[in-house]
Amino acid sequence: MKRLLTAAALVALAACSREPNFDDRSQIGPDPVLPKPQQFLVPPIGVSKPQGWSGGRTPHVPAGYQIKALATGLANPRFIYTLPNGDILAVQAAPPSGEPVKRPKDIVFGMVLGSVHNYPGGRPPKSRITLIRDADGDGVPEIQQTLLDNLNSPFGVSWVDGMLYVANTDGVVAYPFTPGQTTLTAQPRVLTPLPAGPINHHWTKSLVASPDGSKLYATVGSNSNIVENGWDAERGRASVWEIDRKTGLSREFATGLRNANSPVFYPGTNDLYVVVNERDELGEHLVPDYMTSVRDGAFYGWPYSYYGQHLDPRVRPQNPALVAKAIPPDYALGSHVAPLGLAFYTGSLFPQFRGGAFVGEHGSWDRYSPYGYKVAFVPFSNGKPSGKALDFVTGFIDPGKDTVFGRPVGVALDRFGALLIADDVGNTVWRVTPANWKPGAVAQPPKA
Amino acid sequence: MADQIPGDEPVRTGRRGALDALHAVLGAFPVAYFTLAFITDIAYSRSTNLQWQYFSIWLIVAGLVMGGFAILFGGIEWLIRRPRAAHGYRWHALLTIAAWLLALLNAFVHSRDGWTAVVPQGLILSGVVALLMLLAAGMSAFRWGRDAR
């Protein structure tokens, strides 16, 4: 009996080996190293205590730059958008409540992962959009006030031609709005509903307008890690939707993207890029999250496969015909870094970063030691990612990885070309400029 | 009560009888739940319909809770009776505890996402646990029957 027990335990534990010597840098770039998938009794979990910023502490930037809080006291800021007149919208969101419990695991995970945003002195999240105006660019806003309140878990926002489009978790709504307005009382029109509850696992719907303004692109995340909530729950999900701005008619533009966020067109092109959170619980080093351009009608693997034809052992029934068509993404960012923000640098303050991508990495839970928790920079050449990503803004987590001060989400540029970062644990919008930079002065390019 | 039927006298079992009854009633739950979990696992492995998998994990967790209480009361019984002939139930106790531990392992396996939550490790564990539980219950019933003679 004992022997049987030991044997069974060994069989189950055999798959649970750590890989301490794995080189994380090998999973950054177009062709990441992919170890064999593992299955666990308890998947890797590593979360640190959230604390927020205090005592003048800030994230770290390289020498030659400075970072300062542009706005504080926000309620879970997730996404930043700069209007044509330079006003900044900070989208804050409370996650939708009431996700049905299907398995005991849902209760346990809810407790473990739900705790990573709550700390004494932290603010309860609100679903609202705050308008921030720093017209003189000195980093101290003249106006910081609520523009829209009591929204339905919004994430994306985009302004086109007199209309402000807000991607709530259940659909895109449109408000008549002229930049310069500091209040907004008009009633919204529902442009297009998007898949939401009762199960609404990946609830962030982000949004961008096409360069000609005729179409909107909304991301819709999967409704599970790997279809454990059933196939019915995945209709219309794990995809990027194309929405006609005039009629609201919609279709799935690209599919197989588990949880895509921050769609952005590469400047001067019609190439649509997104950052994508890949699947969990296959190991610390699987599956690398990525940035990719998305093509019309293309399929990127989820749930059946990843990085082309690497099959996920957890999906039944399989779909070999679809897997054969799966396109590997352009650029891996590292396993479980949780990229949520993407902005191409088009400003003049950081000339050496022009044409490259800033990526807000919210940070991991499905690793033994936290990873991500930074803003990375991915160099581009000829409109394609090229070369290794580098860490640009760090210090969101302490070096011992015990305490999380903040977590970066959305990234954007203000009208001066400074980098803005939404921090949903620190409840802050951070602003990065060259050191000692003053608006109006000629920008001094910092040494790379 | 003038005409007492022979052999139908009320049996005096005392306080230990109450423990016996609690142990037996609670012990019936994991026997049923773990056996059903094996059946729902088979159903999932043949259909890939996730509803069967949800049945399995709730049955396993419920079996662990009720089985945990059954083991607790069984343990108390054993402590009280130890001086006497409780050793006849040694195999029942060992099999039950082994089944409970394997079911605990199985709950973690069943908390994976998708196919590998059941096939193959979950299905094997569910089968072994169901077999051990039925054996343990059978041994206990057999022993009880002998003791009653």
Side-chain angles (χ1 to χ4, degrees):
Chain A
M1 175 52 51
K2 268 184 200 149
R3 225 175 293 161
L4 183 68
L5 200 74
T6 321
L10 282 178
V11 167
L13 288 166
C16 309
S17 53
R18 295 190 188 197
E19 301 157 282
N21 298 321
F22 191 87
D23 176 17
D24 283 316
R25 300 287 295 170
S26 71
Q27 293 194 318
I28 293 174
D31 192 19
V33 172
L34 301 171
K36 283 209 159 52
Q38 304 177 51
Q39 287 289 278
F40 300 88
L41 291 179
V42 179
I45 294 179
V47 289
S48 310
K49 212 163 74 66
Q51 185 180 290
W53 305 92
S54 57
R57 192 192 293 274
T58 67
H60 307 150
V61 285
Y65 301 89
Q66 68 182 22
I67 184 164
K68 283 184 178 168
L70 175 68
T72 56
L74 297 165
N76 207 39
R78 306 277 285 171
F79 192 78
I80 306 171
Y81 184 77
T82 306
L83 289 162
N85 74 331
D87 285 351
I88 293 155
L89 301 180
V91 183
Q92 297 142 86
S97 58
E99 181 166 329
V101 171
K102 288 212 165 195
R103 298 186 294 163
K105 178 187 186 178
D106 300 337
I107 302 169
V108 177
F109 267 47
M111 288 191 297
V112 174
L113 302 181
S115 68
V116 298
H117 275 228
N118 304 323
Y119 56 95
R123 294 171 156 264
K126 298 271 190 236
S127 289
R128 66 165 61 131
I129 295 178
T130 298
L131 183 136
I132 300 162
R133 174 176 295 169
D134 176 25
D136 55 13
D138 64 354
V140 183
E142 298 91 63
I143 295 176
Q144 178 178 334
Q145 67 187 36
T146 302
L147 186 71
L148 289 169
D149 210 349
N150 302 313
L151 298 169
N152 188 5
S153 303
F155 194 90
V157 62
S158 197
W159 182 86
V160 188
D161 193 18
M163 298 300 283
L164 184 69
Y165 297 91
V166 176
N168 284 318
T169 193
D170 63 348
V172 178
V173 294
Y175 298 81
F177 180 80
T178 308
Q181 271 181 249
T182 55
T183 56
L184 180 44
T185 50
Q187 286 303 302
R189 175 172 66 91
V190 177
L191 182 67
T192 302
L194 295 170
I199 306 172
N200 196 3
H201 186 77
H202 289 124
W203 54 268
T204 56
K205 310 296 200 298
S206 43
L207 195 64
V208 73
S210 61
D212 68 2
S214 67
K215 300 275 194 276
L216 295 172
Y217 294 85
T219 62
V220 182
S222 71
N223 219 351
S224 61
N225 176 29
I226 190 74
V227 208
E228 70 275 9
N229 290 328
W231 292 97
D232 288 347
E234 304 297 345
R235 270 198 285 258
R237 284 183 171 266
S239 60
V240 173
W241 285 39
E242 183 185 75
I243 300 166
D244 187 83
R245 201 168 67 80
K246 289 263 150 50
T247 61
L249 291 176
S250 61
R251 67 181 181 108
E252 286 187 84
F253 177 76
T255 56
L257 300 153
R258 180 174 172 274
N259 185 20
N261 280 287
S262 288
V264 194
F265 283 89
Y266 191 79
T269 72
N270 283 313
D271 298 343
L272 180 62
Y273 276 83
V274 290
V275 282
V276 176
N277 284 228
E278 257 292 354
R279 61 207 78 199
D280 297 316
E281 298 183 45
L282 281 182
E284 268 200 293
H285 308 292
L286 275 182
V287 171
D289 297 335
Y290 58 82
M291 170 175 67
T292 194
S293 56
V294 288
R295 287 182 247 159
D296 190 354
F299 172 72
Y300 291 86
W302 193 90
Y304 306 102
S305 66
Y306 50 90
Y307 284 85
Q309 283 68 41
H310 296 87
L311 288 180
D312 192 311
R314 300 167 295 182
V315 183
R316 289 294 187 284
Q318 295 180 320
N319 191 337
L322 201 49
V323 167
K325 290 197 286 186
I327 295 176
D330 295 341
Y331 193 93
L333 296 164
S335 292
H336 309 300
V337 295
L340 292 172
L342 174 63
F344 291 111
Y345 193 74
T346 52
S348 57
L349 288 189
F350 316 141
Q352 74 281 28
F353 289 144
R354 269 184 76 88
F358 287 108
V359 178
E361 299 180 356
H362 199 222
S364 69
W365 64 265
D366 189 22
R367 294 177 63 117
Y368 294 110
S369 179
Y371 186 52
Y373 298 87
K374 68 189 179 215
V375 177
F377 176 78
V378 180
F380 272 59
S381 67
N382 301 320
K384 304 279 172 217
S386 128
K388 286 278 178 192
L390 50 100
D391 296 352
F392 185 54
V393 187
T394 56
F396 288 93
I397 189 165
D398 78 306
K401 301 195 170 178
D402 297 320
T403 308
V404 167
F405 306 112
R407 299 180 81 175
V409 193
V411 288
L413 309 181
D414 73 7
R415 73 186 178 97
F416 300 93
L419 178 68
L420 302 175
I421 305 157
D423 167 0
D424 68 354
V425 164
N427 292 317
T428 299
V429 171
W430 298 101
R431 184 172 188 247
V432 183
T433 62
N436 305 315
W437 175 80
K438 296 261 191 313
V442 177
Q444 295 297 318
K447 291 183 191 114
Chain B
M1 301 296 143
D3 302 318
Q4 190 83 47
I5 300 163
D8 197 28
E9 300 89 1
V11 184
R12 290 192 164 275
T13 56
R15 253 170 295 167
R16 279 209 301 281
L19 267 178
D20 266 345
L22 258 178
H23 178 66
V25 167
L26 287 168
F29 282 86
V31 176
Y33 287 166
F34 290 153
T35 313
L36 277 172
F38 182 43
I39 293 168
T40 53
D41 268 2
I42 293 170
Y44 172 74
S45 70
R46 297 175 77 98
S47 68
T48 72
N49 183 340
L50 285 158
Q51 191 66 50
W52 295 116
Q53 198 189 109
Y54 305 149
F55 276 132
S56 294
I57 181 60
W58 287 111
L59 284 165
I60 291 164
V61 169
L64 282 170
V65 172
M66 301 305 272
F69 281 116
I71 289 171
L72 177 73
F73 286 113
I76 295 170
E77 242 186 312
W78 175 73
L79 283 175
I80 295 169
R81 274 196 196 159
R82 193 162 36 172
R84 296 207 254 151
H87 69 268
Y89 293 93
R90 185 191 295 147
W91 275 104
H92 165 80
L94 276 175
L95 287 177
T96 310
I97 290 166
W100 193 90
L101 290 172
L102 286 175
L104 182 65
L105 196 67
N106 201 17
F108 285 101
V109 172
H110 271 74
S111 295
R112 294 171 184 166
D113 294 336
W115 180 246
T116 50
V118 175
V119 184
Q121 292 169 346
L123 187 62
I124 295 169
L125 280 169
S126 290
V128 172
V129 168
L131 185 71
L132 292 181
M133 279 315 293
L134 288 170
L135 267 177
M139 281 180 161
S140 164
F142 175 72
R143 184 77 206 185
W144 214 352
R146 255 199 356 201
D147 285 356
R149 246 171 245 146

